[in-house]
Amino acid sequence: MDIVVCFALFLAAMLFCLVKGFSLAWALLFALVLFFALGLRRGYGAKALVKMAWSKMPKSMIVLRILFFIGLLTGLWRSCGTIAFFIYHGIRVITPSLFILVAFLLTVLLSYALGTSFGVASTAGVVLMALARSGGVSEAVTAGVILSGIYFGDRGAPTSSCASLVAALTETDLYGNVRRMFQTAALPYALCLIAYTVLSFRNPIVTVDETMLGALAESFVISPWALVPALIMLILPLLRVPIRRAMAISAAAAFVITVTVQGGSVADALRIMVVGYHPTEGLLASVVSGGGLVSMLTPFLMIPLAALYTGILEGTGALTQAQSVLNRSAEHIGRFPTMILLSLLAAMVLCNQTIVVMMEHQLIGAVYAKDGAEHEELAMDIANSGVTIAGLIPWCIACAVPLSMLGVGVEALPYACLLYLIPLCYLFTKRFFFPAKSKGSETPV
């Protein structure tokens, strides 16, 4: 009963922070205090609880190092013109009858290069929504398409903090996971292309606002050099260069281009690395602003806090009863269907994609281990469930924040095809990637 009370208080704290607009890091700090108190109540000493909490920190540090470089990249890619280059030429090649399809492909490319859903939604997503509004295209359809595109990279890019977290938790190879995520997303991606092609012809853009192109050209030197940081992030991982090294090289290239091509000073570039790129005036001020290490402050706090209280929950056995329920569910309906149900519940209650991923590993990872499943299977099941399902829950941060950036409500969710096609398609095709075996061979997976 005490664990139920703790989770109820935790949920109340999450809702309070959401309603008041406070950082969810406060709710996680409150949860850490709650679960530490729970451990004391159950007879564990403070020293033992600290040791439990710290046991999960090494895995979170892997993600924090990735977040550090993501913060640098999101600022410097703005200042060096990489984001502007993609948007400028993406707009220029738009065919009126293919606007929706181009919007999907552009956000897919940017999200894979950047590995951040919020970063793409706040840049290319905002520009595409402005074009849709001025061109008479359905806002709901456009926002749903953008939501699909931004989570393509958030789920499966080597630069994604979420992909890094899944790899760290399941002790699997990041690049191997990225390859398998491409394979398991092939069918839903193809279905999205078909659906968005049809929607494009049904929702053609009437006009393209040339003032947006003019504003981009005035604010940036639209040079092929701006492509270099993106190409580095696309090519080096394919050559098996460690992701942090590739990100560091890309950030260094963006720094040099900011100074030499865009005409910024060294001091400006250093400042952008920390506080992000924030033009003071012009049409694009609200579109390209952002990035920098400061933009990563909330996840910098949330990930270690979640790791600390997850360690306490595991060490004290507080989730044993929940794990027993999940174990029985997996025996009856299979591991992945159980993972989907857990993802839905966790996303609705915890409201945060990162915590959903950590809870999935925490609560059901033992079931996979008991059944003799490979670590890679657990990684793919998490990537194909909680990572995308969180983006479909209206009050979850993964959904609410991008929709808020785009200025659209829940009417966009039916058009976010990739987010629900990935778990649905994987539900029926998983057997081809991970055939049932061991104890799980007698039950569906």
Side-chain angles (χ1 to χ4, degrees):
M1 185 62 184
D2 51 4
I3 186 64
V4 174
V5 173
C6 285
F7 269 107
L9 291 173
F10 178 27
L11 176 59
M14 294 283 286
L15 292 174
F16 178 79
C17 289
L18 285 171
V19 171
K20 293 295 185 179
F22 297 151
S23 170
L24 288 176
W26 290 109
L28 296 187
L29 180 60
F30 178 65
L32 177 60
V33 174
L34 277 177
F35 295 129
F36 193 90
L38 175 66
L40 293 175
R41 185 178 185 278
R42 292 189 172 188
Y44 293 91
K47 186 176 181 179
L49 291 172
V50 170
K51 186 176 181 180
M52 293 174 193
W54 195 254
S55 66
K56 294 294 182 180
M57 284 301 292
K59 290 182 178 180
S60 71
M61 291 303 297
I62 296 173
V63 183
L64 291 179
R65 286 193 287 268
I66 296 292
L67 286 176
F68 174 82
F69 287 108
I70 289 175
L72 298 182
L73 286 179
T74 53
L76 289 171
W77 276 33
R78 284 171 164 86
S79 63
C80 78
T82 299
I83 300 296
F85 185 94
F86 278 116
I87 297 173
Y88 182 84
H89 289 288
I91 293 173
R92 288 178 65 88
V93 301
I94 288 177
T95 301
S97 60
L98 292 178
F99 172 74
I100 293 297
L101 181 61
V102 171
F104 176 61
L105 295 174
L106 180 61
T107 49
V108 162
L109 177 61
L110 280 173
S111 68
Y112 183 78
L114 284 172
T116 165
S117 56
F118 291 179
V120 178
S122 63
T123 53
V126 173
V127 173
L128 290 166
M129 286 303 299
L131 292 173
R133 291 186 177 104
S134 64
V137 181
S138 168
E139 294 182 27
V141 173
T142 306
V145 167
I146 293 170
L147 203 61
S148 280
I150 63 176
Y151 277 108
F152 179 88
D154 188 80
R155 167 185 173 270
T159 53
S160 167
S161 59
C162 185
S164 298
L165 177 63
V166 171
L169 290 174
T170 58
E171 299 178 352
T172 51
D173 176 62
L174 174 61
Y175 293 109
N177 287 348
V178 169
R179 183 179 66 254
R180 284 183 287 272
M181 279 189 254
F182 265 86
Q183 293 170 347
T184 56
L187 176 58
Y189 182 75
L191 293 174
C192 281
L193 290 177
I194 295 172
Y196 292 147
T197 300
V198 173
L199 285 172
S200 290
F201 284 105
R202 296 185 62 180
N203 294 270
I205 192 169
V206 178
T207 59
V208 174
D209 188 358
E210 294 292 334
T211 59
M212 189 66 70
L213 295 177
L216 285 166
E218 289 177 7
S219 301
F220 298 95
V221 177
I222 307 298
S223 164
W225 284 107
L227 274 178
V228 172
L231 291 175
I232 288 172
M233 285 311 306
L234 290 172
I235 295 173
L236 291 189
L238 297 177
L239 300 177
R240 308 293 290 182
V241 175
I243 188 61
R244 291 195 296 274
R245 186 177 302 172
M247 296 174 81
I249 295 172
S250 178
F255 185 99
V256 171
I257 294 169
T258 296
V259 174
T260 59
V261 177
Q262 301 298 341
S265 67
V266 172
D268 285 340
L270 291 173
R271 176 180 53 79
I272 289 167
M273 290 170 62
V274 179
V275 301
Y277 180 69
H278 299 281
T280 57
E281 56 182 293
L283 179 62
L284 298 180
S286 62
V287 175
V288 297
S289 295
L293 295 177
V294 171
S295 69
M296 294 289 109
L297 182 59
T298 295
F300 262 127
L301 294 172
M302 292 179 66
I303 289 177
L305 285 171
L308 289 171
Y309 75 67
T310 300
I312 292 175
L313 290 174
E314 182 180 278
T316 58
L319 299 176
T320 302
Q321 185 174 359
Q323 289 170 328
S324 299
V325 172
L326 292 171
N327 186 38
R328 291 194 296 271
S329 173
E331 290 176 350
H332 285 88
I333 65 174
R335 292 190 292 270
F336 187 64
T338 299
M339 182 76 83
I340 291 177
L341 295 176
L342 174 60
S343 300
L344 285 168
L345 181 61
M348 288 189 290
V349 172
L350 302 176
C351 308
N352 182 273
Q353 185 192 53
T354 298
I355 305 175
V356 169
V357 169
M358 297 185 76
M359 277 298 173
E360 284 179 325
H361 177 263
Q362 176 74 24
L363 291 176
I364 204 171
V367 175
Y368 283 72
K370 180 174 65 67
D371 288 350
E374 300 172 352
H375 289 190
E376 288 75 14
E377 179 184 343
L378 175 58
M380 285 305 97
D381 283 14
I382 293 175
N384 292 326
S385 57
V387 174
T388 59
I389 288 173
L392 291 170
I393 306 302
W395 55 89
C396 184
I397 294 174
C399 177
V401 172
L403 289 183
S404 176
M405 292 175 179
L406 301 176
V408 179
V410 296
E411 64 272 14
L413 295 183
Y415 302 102
C417 302
L418 192 66
L419 296 185
Y420 52 81
L421 282 175
I422 283 178
L424 285 176
C425 291
Y426 185 69
L427 181 64
F428 296 102
T429 62
K430 179 186 172 182
R431 69 190 65 182
F432 300 110
F433 299 100
F434 299 102
K437 64 178 185 178
S438 191
K439 181 177 178 178
S441 61
E442 298 177 0
T443 60
V445 297

